[in-house]
Amino acid sequence: MRYDLIATSTFGIEAITASELKALGYKDINTENGRVTFKGNERDIARTNIWLRTADRVLIKMAEFKAESFEELFQGTKAIDWWKIIPENGKMHITGKSVKSKLFSVSDCQSIVKKAVVEAMKRKYKRDVFTEDGPIYKIEVGILKDIVTLTIDTSGPGLHKRGYRENAGEAPLKETLAAALVLISKWNPDILLYDPFCGSGTIPVEAGLIGKNIAPGLRRSFVSEDWPNIKKSIWQEVRREAEAAINDKEFVIYGSDMDGKVLKTARQNAIKAGVEQYTNFQKLPVEEFSSRKRVAYIITNPPYGERLGEEKQVRKLYETLGNLYKNHPEWSFFVLTSYYEFEKCFRKKADKNRKLYNGRLLCYYYQYINPVKEK
């Protein structure tokens, strides 16, 4: 069966998610705010859940229609053949959101959609009561400017939950955003990579997964694995292919931080992710960081100075990074921060500057790019 699929993503990295889909061989891709749409079958649902590094979720788009009244919402939802995906005992969980729409009460919209879905199921299964003790189907009703989009989530827990990070630092960077930072930089394992503010190790670990071509969802489960319309053999086959795709490249990614406790977590995360032999973590303040390597990448997410009284300390850290750049003119630096005067502290205007969101916090990804000549 062919589906209209949506890979949702954080604002600012939709194009990276689209590039991932193209690299996986998908065509007719459409990029919008916060999502990338494409078409695929059951195997594609398994494949994109397992392989996408920067997407938040993979959704099945069931319908899109205009609704300015609860009756229009009910009838539009009822007209959909939900039974083609949801079995008789499927557990239906409804979530919702509404932006700039006449139907602004999300709880009412959720209730109406649930009633309409049940009515559509009655039409197929010829019964009035459903046990809902089977696999889970999370249906979302999203309304934007009176346009209703109805989707079913195939992922379950967000795709940033790779399964390797049970503990994180004080201000954790999402795995999906960390992967995006690495992909935007165009780093490859032939280039030495440092993260001098590595925290719980998310950037080095994600870079390790990218360097080894390890599918980020290889060792986790997805809600649609329990669905009867996607055969277990499909998931098994896609996982076998992902295992076979892991390369034999040898490299080491270096992460350092002044917090020894969080580095212990970083090492544990690398072990769980299967990249411990490709990462090296050490306790080291950025002021003491040094390297004789002629060519390298710095990809990092330093402190932002969001707390009162931290600004002076953060400015000093950024000045230290700027000195590091000055002393290594052939290195490339990629820095994510929300601090508005970063370039002033760094003492150089970035070659590229990309607006990204770390959670709800607006940040900029400052890119200082030098051509790589040798390892």
Side-chain angles (χ1 to χ4, degrees):
M1 184 173 171
R2 297 287 288 177
Y3 303 97
D4 290 323
L5 299 174
I6 300 171
T8 63
S9 66
T10 303
F11 286 108
I13 62 173
E14 301 93 341
I16 308 304
T17 304
S19 294
E20 285 195 83
L21 286 164
K22 288 174 186 173
L24 288 170
Y26 296 97
K27 298 175 182 177
D28 299 321
I29 295 166
N30 187 32
T31 305
E32 304 170 30
N33 283 340
R35 65 183 192 175
V36 183
T37 60
F38 62 105
K39 295 184 183 296
N41 56 22
E42 288 82 1
R43 190 176 186 278
D44 297 310
I45 289 172
R47 194 160 171 257
T48 51
N49 269 299
I50 286 171
W51 272 104
L52 288 177
R53 300 181 189 279
T54 62
D56 293 327
R57 297 178 182 280
V58 177
L59 312 175
I60 298 172
K61 180 180 172 182
M62 297 299 292
E64 193 168 272
F65 55 89
K66 188 172 184 177
E68 296 181 337
S69 68
F70 288 137
E71 181 62 21
E72 287 176 332
L73 176 62
F74 180 85
Q75 294 299 336
T77 305
K78 182 183 172 184
I80 300 166
D81 293 332
W82 295 96
W83 49 268
K84 287 185 177 179
I85 295 176
I86 303 175
E88 195 170 355
N89 67 338
K91 183 173 182 176
M92 295 170 282
H93 176 57
I94 316 295
T95 63
K97 58 185 177 183
S98 179
V99 179
K100 297 179 181 177
S101 300
K102 292 182 178 66
L103 301 179
F104 57 84
S105 172
V106 173
S107 59
D108 286 335
C109 291
Q110 289 172 259
S111 178
I112 286 163
V113 166
K114 178 64 180 285
K115 289 175 183 176
V117 172
V118 170
E119 286 301 314
M121 299 284 280
K122 285 180 182 179
R123 192 170 64 235
K124 169 65 178 177
Y125 294 113
K126 311 297 182 188
R127 59 183 298 177
D128 293 325
V129 179
F130 294 90
T131 58
E132 295 197 46
D133 57 0
I136 297 170
Y137 295 81
K138 189 174 84 173
I139 299 167
E140 182 182 82
V141 49
I143 312 177
L144 175 62
K145 296 179 181 178
D146 300 324
I147 301 299
V148 178
T149 303
L150 292 167
T151 59
I152 300 179
D153 176 26
T154 72
S155 302
L159 295 182
H160 71 281
K161 295 187 177 180
R162 322 288 206 210
Y164 68 77
R165 194 172 78 171
E166 291 180 17
N167 300 307
E170 191 175 320
L173 186 71
K174 258 191 179 181
E175 294 88 333
T176 43
L177 180 55
L181 300 184
V182 177
L183 293 174
I184 291 168
S185 78
K186 300 190 185 306
W187 172 82
N188 70 71
D190 292 329
I191 306 168
L192 198 61
L193 175 57
Y194 294 108
D195 179 0
F197 299 98
C198 71
S200 57
T202 311
I203 290 175
V205 169
E206 289 297 321
L209 293 173
I210 290 168
K212 292 298 293 180
N213 198 37
I214 298 173
L218 183 58
R219 292 175 177 86
R220 60 156 280 180
S221 60
F222 305 91
V223 70
S224 51
E225 288 189 64
D226 294 327
W227 295 1
N229 64 318
I230 305 181
K231 295 178 181 177
K232 298 285 185 186
S233 59
I234 290 175
W235 291 96
Q236 292 165 357
E237 180 188 352
V238 172
R239 283 199 170 89
R240 279 196 301 269
E241 289 176 358
E243 289 279 4
I246 298 172
N247 64 46
D248 58 1
K249 290 184 178 180
E250 295 293 327
F251 56 89
V252 179
I253 296 160
Y254 294 90
S256 57
D257 203 282
M258 64 185 298
D259 185 344
K261 184 178 179 182
V262 80
L263 287 173
K264 184 178 179 182
T265 299
R267 294 185 187 101
Q268 291 171 344
N269 290 342
I271 291 169
K272 288 175 185 173
V275 295
E276 69 273 18
Q277 70 186 89
Y278 309 103
T279 52
N280 182 296
F281 297 101
Q282 59 178 321
K283 184 178 179 180
L284 189 72
V286 68
E287 293 84 0
E288 296 178 19
F289 179 90
S290 65
S291 173
R292 294 182 179 180
K293 294 294 182 180
R294 185 182 164 207
V295 176
Y297 270 33
I298 294 274
I299 303 178
T300 193
N301 175 47
Y304 299 166
E306 294 296 311
R307 289 182 180 175
L308 195 65
E310 286 184 345
E311 184 174 359
K312 187 177 179 181
Q313 181 184 359
V314 164
R315 289 181 71 92
K316 187 177 178 181
L317 289 177
Y318 293 167
E319 287 169 6
T320 302
L321 267 183
N323 291 334
L324 193 61
Y325 177 81
K326 185 179 178 180
N327 294 331
H328 296 86
E330 294 188 65
W331 286 22
S332 292
F333 279 61
F334 302 86
V335 183
L336 181 72
T337 178
S338 67
Y339 188 60
Y340 65 104
E341 286 195 329
F342 171 79
E343 287 174 310
K344 186 176 179 180
C345 298
F346 196 81
R347 295 185 298 278
K348 184 172 174 61
K349 186 173 175 60
D351 299 313
K352 290 184 179 180
N353 188 347
R354 193 182 192 118
K355 185 189 293 185
L356 297 173
Y357 281 86
N358 186 359
R360 294 185 178 182
L361 187 62
L362 172 61
C363 297
Y364 289 91
Y365 192 36
Y366 297 96
Q367 303 164 60
Y368 299 85
I369 305 164
N370 283 309
V372 175
K373 298 173 184 175
E374 63 180 47
K375 187 171 179 180

